[in-house]
């Protein structure tokens, strides 16, 4: 099929763009040099023919898909090594790293995923210098392939309830790892099934019968030559899932497996040869890798959404359906304001979380430096921020990815649109690395504590400083500052009301735990409200900061999106605002008008805005979202790849249908 250069609809859309697309791309990449680096990596990766799929993954069997994913992981590793891309370590400029290319090579994830995202970071974060020296290089060179094995069949959320034991035997200076029950089997770790030969095992340390809490151990599970499971190791894959089907998530059990003493990662806590335990300065430091991954999820969530919204908006510009005006041709579906309402918030939300993710990473790095010199004062705030932003970014972005999928009508249901797969990998972020409700309750715990300490005169940490403000009623103000202030009032109102309920429940005789459980719906509301106030504040302040350096045309578009985000959230959360602020019906009417005006204002820039995410066709992997806009041609080309289309009549006709038709079954 020969394709014309670009669909005229998209050509027209691109001509209406009011800003410099490359300038926005550079901003989103955190610098022109990052854009250049990212493109260089993409050029290299997409020129490797071994990384291309001849048959779409969805037409392969489970086993074939795994084998294909392993083959590609190995080639990708080689290419990335040649390009010098850093893996396992994140920093702000690594935003432009290979994660976008990664998800185009593996629509459903790689079995090596946990090697880079958790195994290596745990060695770096939890190992002492000697252990880092020993394991880091081996892992980076893929001499050993590992994962992070924490979750068990019986417990994922409640880490203190994990059952896998590591009992110290001082005679041999070894730990004995044991899985005492079926529920103690590790369950879920990525790559564990048939890929990894080592793993970080989170297990309950016991010395002379005394428990010392959960600690990280590096454990060899397969022979480095034969890849056979080592004696006493029971390992396999957990089976098919909603997504992540090529990640090879596995199960793992131990029958009294011995490992050397120095295989406990000992940066924070140590066990001496004679079995003396030295505790870390803060026992929660053993949870450090999870905090890091939660921080990075904010960026991942924004990235999934930006890909989905690029596909949906491009498709909406080339799809024509129904009639707006009787005597005119069918309009682009993007001209329907309801379609703009579904999609433009996706662009703004993606910006909001992307800019917040850069800010959060800087906060993480800063607090990490403080912890390195023994200052843990800001750990509670970091933990609360990581939990809460992980939750609201993953839930908002996943909801909007699904909205993008549905906004494409029937074609959004096609695997070749890549929207179902994007939904699958996005919704996983709501569960892994701390289930979202549980993470909100952790946030609430920190907020309630801060509130109570604050009421006794202790200063609030920076992101909670507005708790100190008096909650006096003031006239509604629809400016950005006014809306931010209103959301802070909602946050204060919800938190103070939750604390009052907790106090009332305990006064009425409930234990602290029962009072907490009874008020927990309110508490997660208070946690979410704090997260909203943080995101609104950071998104606005980051754009104000960047606004000073970008061109006036780009600044104006960036602020259109900030306004859209603010007004959209105000209308969404109207109930809360009516309860805790002076918002009136008149204000709502004018905000609705403002929202409609903003959709109209953004409309000519819609394609420019998604083009600025700069996703190549190979990255989007979508029949609906390609740069040239030839969605129907691509849908047909992909349909022809179905193995069923290789022959005009399938054998099942002769075997079953024909006998049925002839009454000879
Ligand atoms: C080469 C080609 C290939 C290239 C490949 C390239 C690949 C790379 C590219 C791919 C791109 C994708 C990248 C991402 C991928 C990610 C994939 C990840 C997959 C998913 C991994 C996982 O899924 S892995 C398991 C995570 N599993 C959890 O997430 C359990 C949650 N469960 C808890 O986390 C605890 O169970 C829970 C609830 C806190 C209670 O813990 P608990 O009972 O011990 O504690 P309590 O509640 O009693 O709290 C007691 C006090 O501790 C405080 N506190 C608690 N935690 C704290 C903390 N962390 N830091 C500080 N303080 C903390 C708290 O605030 C209290 O403070 P206070 O006393 O002052 O109030
Ligand atoms: C795709 C994917 C990849 C994963 N990869 C890994 C990996 O590589 N390594 C690893 O170790 N793990 C991994 N996991 C496991 C993951 O971390 C856990 O599934 C997650 O932490 C949730 O724990 P759970 O499954 O025990 O859920 P549960 O805690 O059983 O949650 C079930 C329900 O109970 C509720 N609930 C539980 N506790 C509370 C509470 N205290 N208060 C109120 N409600 C509560 C939850 O809100 C939820 O509604 C992965 C999971 C997925 C889906």
């Amino acid at each position: 099929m020969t394709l014309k250069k670009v669909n005229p609809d998209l050509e027209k859309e691109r001509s209406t763009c009011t800003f410099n697309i490359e300038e926005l791309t550079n901003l989103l990449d955190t610098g022109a040099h990052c854009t250049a680096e990212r493109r260089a990596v993409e050029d290299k990766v997409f020129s490797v023919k071994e990384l291309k799929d001849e048959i779409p993954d969805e037409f392969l069997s489970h086993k074939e898909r795994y084998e294909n994913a392993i083959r590609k992981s190995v080639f990708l590793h080689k290419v990335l090594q040649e390009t010098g891309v850093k893996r396992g370590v994140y920093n702000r400029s690594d935003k432009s790293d290979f994660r976008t290319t990664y998800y185009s090579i593996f629509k459903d994830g790689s079995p090596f995923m946990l090697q880079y995202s958790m195994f290596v970071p745990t060695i770096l974060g939890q190992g002492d210098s000697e252990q880092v020296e020993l394991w880091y290089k081996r892992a980076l060179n893929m001499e050993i392939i590992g994962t992070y094995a924490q979750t068990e069949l019986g417990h994922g959320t409640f880490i203190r309830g994990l059952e896998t034991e590591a009992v110290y035997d001082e005679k041999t200076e070894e730990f004995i790892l044991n899985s005492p029950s079926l529920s103690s089997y590790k369950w879920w770790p990525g790559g564990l099934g048939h890929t990894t030969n080592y793993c970080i095992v989170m297990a309950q340390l016991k010395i002379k019968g005394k428990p010392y809490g959960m600690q990280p151990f590096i454990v060899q599970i397969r022979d480095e030559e034969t890849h056979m499971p080592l004696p006493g190791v029971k390992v396999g894959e957990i089976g098919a899932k909603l997504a992540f089907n090529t990640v090879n998530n596995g199960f793992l059990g131990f029958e009294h497996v011995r490992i050397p003493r120095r295989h406990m990662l000992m940066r924070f806590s140590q066990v001496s040869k004679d079995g003396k335990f030295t505790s870390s300065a803060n026992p929660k430091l053993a949870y450090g890798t999870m905090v890091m991954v939660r921080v990075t999820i904010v960026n991942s969530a924004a990235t999934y959404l930006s890909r989905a919204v690029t596909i949906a908006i491009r498709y909406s510009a080339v799809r024509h359906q129904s009639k707006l005006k009787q005597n005119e041709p069918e309009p682009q579906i993007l001209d329907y304001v309801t379609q703009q309402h579904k999609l433009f918030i996706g662009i703004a939300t993606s910006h909001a979380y992307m800019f917040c993710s850069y800010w959060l990473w800087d906060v993480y790095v800063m607090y990490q430096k403080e912890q390195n010199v023994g200052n843990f004062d800001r750990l509670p705030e970091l933990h609360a921020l990581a939990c809460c932003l992980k939750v609201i970014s993953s839930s908002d972005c996943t909801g909007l990815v699904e909205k993008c999928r549905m906004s494409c009508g029937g074609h959004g249901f096609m695997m070749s649109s890549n929207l179902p797969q994007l939904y699958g990998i996005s919704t996983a972020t709501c569960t892994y690395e701390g289930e979202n409700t549980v993470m909100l309750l952790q946030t609430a715990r920190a907020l309630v504590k801060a509130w109570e300490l604050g009421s006794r005169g202790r200063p609030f940490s920076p992101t909670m400083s507005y708790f100190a403000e008096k909650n006096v009623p003031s006239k509604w103000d629809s400016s950005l500052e006014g809306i931010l202030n209103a959301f802070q009032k909602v946050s204060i109102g919800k938190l103070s009301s939750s604390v009052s309920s907790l106090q009332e429940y305990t006064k009425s005789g409930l234990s602290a735990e029962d009072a907490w459980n009874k008020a927990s719906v309110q508490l997660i509301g208070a946690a979410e409200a704090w997260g909203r106030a943080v995101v609104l504040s950071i998104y606005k302040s980051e754009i104000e900061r960047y606004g000073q350096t970008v061109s006036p045309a780009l600044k104006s578009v960036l602020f259109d999106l900030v306004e859209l985000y603010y007004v959209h959230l105000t209308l969404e959360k109207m109930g809360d605002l009516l309860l805790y602020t002076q918002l009136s019906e008149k204000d709502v009417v004018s905000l609705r008008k403002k929202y409609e005006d903003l959709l109209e204002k953004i409309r000519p820039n819609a394609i420019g805005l998604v083009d600025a995410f700069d996703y190549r066709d190979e990255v989007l992997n979508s029949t609906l979202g390609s740069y040239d806009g030839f969605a129907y041609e691509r849908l047909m080309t992909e349909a022809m790849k179905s193995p069923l289309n290789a022959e005009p009549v399938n054998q099942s006709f002769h075997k079953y249908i024909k006998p049925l038709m002839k009454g000879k079954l």
Side-chain angles (χ1 to χ4, degrees):
M1 207 171 290
T2 49
L3 301 179
K4 277 180 274 167
K5 248 179 103 197
V6 172
N7 185 312
D9 280 325
L10 281 184
E11 220 155 31
K12 185 189 79 186
E13 293 293 333
R14 290 188 174 116
S15 72
T16 63
C17 181
T18 62
F19 64 95
N20 181 328
I21 292 176
E22 183 69 10
E23 190 185 6
L24 177 53
T25 302
N26 294 162
L27 185 68
L28 293 169
D29 277 333
T30 71
H33 65 288
C34 297
T35 304
E37 275 172 32
R38 175 177 55 76
R39 287 182 182 155
V41 172
E42 288 172 4
D43 284 345
K44 181 100 189 179
V45 168
F46 293 122
S47 68
V48 178
K49 67 174 186 322
E50 287 86 351
L51 290 173
K52 295 193 171 72
D53 285 326
E54 272 169 29
I55 305 171
D57 234 28
E58 45 274 20
F59 296 129
L60 301 179
S61 71
H62 186 62
K63 192 159 168 257
E64 286 167 334
R65 288 177 76 180
Y66 169 69
E67 288 162 3
N68 193 34
I70 286 288
R71 185 185 63 80
K72 289 194 293 185
S73 300
V74 168
F75 279 106
L76 182 60
H77 175 78
K78 198 164 155 269
V79 182
L80 293 175
Q81 215 169 28
E82 285 160 16
T83 55
V85 170
K86 293 188 209 88
R87 292 173 305 276
V89 190
Y90 292 83
N91 64 46
R92 193 168 187 164
S93 63
D94 266 3
K95 190 264 150 198
S96 58
D97 66 10
F98 68 109
R99 279 190 286 168
T100 50
T101 43
Y102 164 82
Y103 271 115
S104 56
I105 305 291
F106 309 98
K107 284 189 193 172
D108 218 7
S110 156
F112 287 2
M113 186 176 189
L114 268 286
Q115 164 88 350
Y116 301 115
S117 59
M118 291 192 84
F119 182 65
V120 170
T122 309
I123 291 171
L124 286 174
Q126 307 279 325
D128 61 30
S129 52
E130 198 183 295
Q131 292 172 321
V132 171
E133 177 65 28
L134 177 68
W135 299 110
Y136 177 58
K137 262 198 219 117
R138 289 201 79 199
L140 213 57
N141 293 333
M142 302 300 279
E143 289 166 30
I144 58 173
I145 301 170
T147 186
Y148 183 83
Q150 179 175 292
T151 306
E152 296 173 357
L153 200 48
H155 292 96
T157 289
F158 185 53
I159 304 177
R160 282 184 287 139
L162 295 178
E163 296 175 76
T164 304
E165 290 175 348
V167 178
Y168 187 61
D169 178 354
E170 62 181 282
K171 282 192 236 83
T172 58
E173 292 175 21
E174 288 171 317
F175 293 103
I176 307 163
L177 284 154
N178 196 38
S179 311
S181 59
L182 174 63
S183 55
S184 73
Y185 266 55
K186 296 292 175 191
W187 191 271
W188 269 117
L192 179 63
H194 297 81
T195 313
T196 62
N197 50 13
Y198 280 75
C199 49
I200 305 289
V201 174
M202 301 305 280
Q204 302 289 358
L205 171 65
K206 281 193 182 151
I207 307 172
K208 295 178 189 134
K210 197 172 160 204
Y212 288 92
M214 193 187 72
Q215 302 295 338
F217 300 85
I218 184 157
V219 186
Q220 183 176 359
I221 55 166
R222 287 177 181 270
D223 185 272
E224 285 185 35
E225 286 301 319
T226 64
H227 207 54
M228 283 297 286
L230 294 181
V233 171
K234 296 245 171 89
V235 64
E237 200 223 22
I238 63 172
K241 293 145 290 178
L242 184 147
F244 272 56
N245 282 298
T246 44
V247 175
N248 193 221
N249 299 81
F251 65 79
L252 174 68
F254 296 107
E255 284 171 359
H256 306 287
V257 171
R258 286 176 172 267
I259 56 168
R261 179 182 66 92
R262 289 288 292 154
H263 281 213
M264 175 175 138
L265 294 179
M266 295 200 190
R267 175 170 174 199
F268 298 117
S269 303
Q270 297 87 30
V271 175
S272 66
K273 287 182 185 176
D274 58 356
K276 228 174 86 211
F277 179 75
T278 312
S279 166
S280 68
N282 183 325
K284 298 305 170 203
L285 292 173
Y287 297 0
T289 314
M290 289 185 282
V291 177
M292 186 213 77
V293 177
R294 284 171 198 148
V295 166
T296 67
I297 284 173
V298 183
N299 188 263
S300 299
T303 308
Y304 302 146
L305 175 58
S306 61
R307 287 166 62 206
V309 82
T310 302
I311 296 168
I313 288 188
R314 284 194 183 148
Y315 174 70
S316 299
V318 301
R319 176 76 165 177
H320 293 251
Q321 187 91 244
S322 313
K323 292 259 178 186
L324 254 176
K325 295 175 187 149
Q326 275 320 310
N327 299 327
E328 289 186 9
E330 290 178 279
Q332 296 161 283
I333 57 172
L334 196 55
D335 283 336
Y336 295 111
V337 175
T338 46
Q339 189 78 355
Q340 298 165 16
H341 168 59
K342 287 178 217 176
L343 296 178
F344 294 174
I345 188 61
I347 308 175
T349 303
S350 180
H351 277 209
Y353 287 121
M354 242 177 232
F355 289 113
C356 278
S357 76
Y358 304 146
W359 169 84
L360 183 62
W361 183 254
D362 288 348
V363 170
Y364 174 76
V365 171
M366 185 170 74
Y367 287 13
Q368 213 57 32
K369 281 186 189 145
E370 292 177 2
Q371 286 171 35
N372 288 344
V373 292
N375 176 358
F376 303 104
D377 292 353
R378 301 209 273 188
L379 188 60
E381 189 191 21
L382 175 64
H383 172 52
L385 276 171
C387 288
C388 194
L389 294 195
K390 179 266 183 195
V391 172
I392 59 172
S393 63
S394 61
S395 59
D396 285 1
C397 292
T398 302
L400 288 167
V401 167
E402 176 65 349
K403 200 169 247 185
C404 288
R405 190 190 67 72
M406 290 204 270
S407 78
C408 294
H411 297 329
F413 208 66
M414 295 295 298
M415 295 299 263
S416 71
S417 75
N418 206 14
L419 290 167
Q421 295 93 323
L422 272 170
Y423 173 75
I425 55 166
S426 184
T427 194
T429 56
C430 300
T431 303
Y432 69 55
E433 221 52 65
E435 194 278 330
N436 273 1
T437 305
V438 173
M439 293 295 98
L440 282 181
L441 288 168
Q442 280 291 309
T443 310
R445 183 176 168 133
L447 296 180
V448 168
K449 200 165 174 181
W451 182 264
E452 283 169 349
L453 288 173
S455 66
R456 280 182 255 141
R458 279 272 288 276
F460 292 105
S461 53
T463 52
M464 299 174 197
S465 58
Y466 66 87
F467 291 174
E469 281 161 28
K470 293 242 159 23
N471 205 356
V472 283
S474 55
K475 219 170 146 290
W476 175 262
D477 168 7
S478 285
S479 69
L480 294 182
E481 199 54 42
I483 293 178
L484 172 60
N485 203 269
F487 273 94
Q488 291 176 341
K489 285 207 167 95
V490 170
S491 158
I492 295 175
K494 287 193 160 193
L495 183 56
S496 102
S497 160
S498 308
V499 172
S500 301
S501 292
L502 284 173
Q503 287 164 349
E504 273 165 34
Y505 289 143
T506 38
K507 236 192 259 164
S508 74
L510 288 187
S511 67
E513 293 86 350
D514 285 338
W516 180 268
N517 196 20
K518 191 157 181 181
S520 57
V521 177
Q522 289 191 61
L523 286 162
I524 58 171
E528 191 214 325
W530 174 67
R532 298 274 167 222
V534 171
V535 172
L536 285 166
S537 161
I538 301 301
Y539 181 27
K540 173 172 159 297
S541 62
E542 290 288 282
I543 296 302
E544 280 164 353
R545 193 161 64 85
Y546 288 121
Q548 291 170 6
T549 53
V550 299
S551 65
L554 179 57
K555 183 175 171 183
S556 161
V557 179
L558 289 174
F559 273 104
D560 287 345
L561 290 173
V562 176
E563 268 208 306
L564 184 86
Y565 188 76
Y566 268 60
V567 176
H568 184 274
L569 202 65
T570 305
L571 294 171
E572 286 272 297
K573 301 285 178 189
M574 205 190 307
D576 288 340
L577 290 160
L578 287 167
L579 205 58
Y580 294 110
T581 73
Q582 302 291 303
L583 180 70
S584 68
E585 189 187 348
K586 203 166 132 242
D587 300 319
V588 172
V589 171
S590 86
L591 280 163
R592 283 194 184 126
K593 164 86 171 61
K594 190 168 189 172
Y595 181 67
E596 285 154 9
D597 289 347
L598 277 165
L599 292 178
E600 196 171 14
K601 197 165 173 212
I602 292 168
R603 170 71 184 85
N605 280 324
I607 289 294
L609 283 165
V610 296
D611 281 354
F613 288 124
D614 200 30
Y615 291 129
R616 302 160 56 133
D617 286 353
E618 296 98 319
V619 171
L620 285 181
N621 246 320
S622 168
T623 45
L624 304 186
S626 61
Y627 187 83
D628 64 17
F630 289 109
Y632 299 152
E633 288 83 348
R634 284 173 205 277
L635 278 166
M636 184 55 92
T637 305
E638 286 304 305
M640 291 318 289
K641 292 181 184 166
S642 166
L644 286 176
N645 288 329
E647 49 192 9
V649 177
N650 182 263
Q651 48 136 343
S652 62
F653 173 79
H654 299 288
K655 211 164 159 188
Y656 298 109
I657 300 179
K658 199 168 175 189
L660 176 73
M661 290 165 70
K662 303 284 178 198
K664 290 184 182 162
L665 205 60

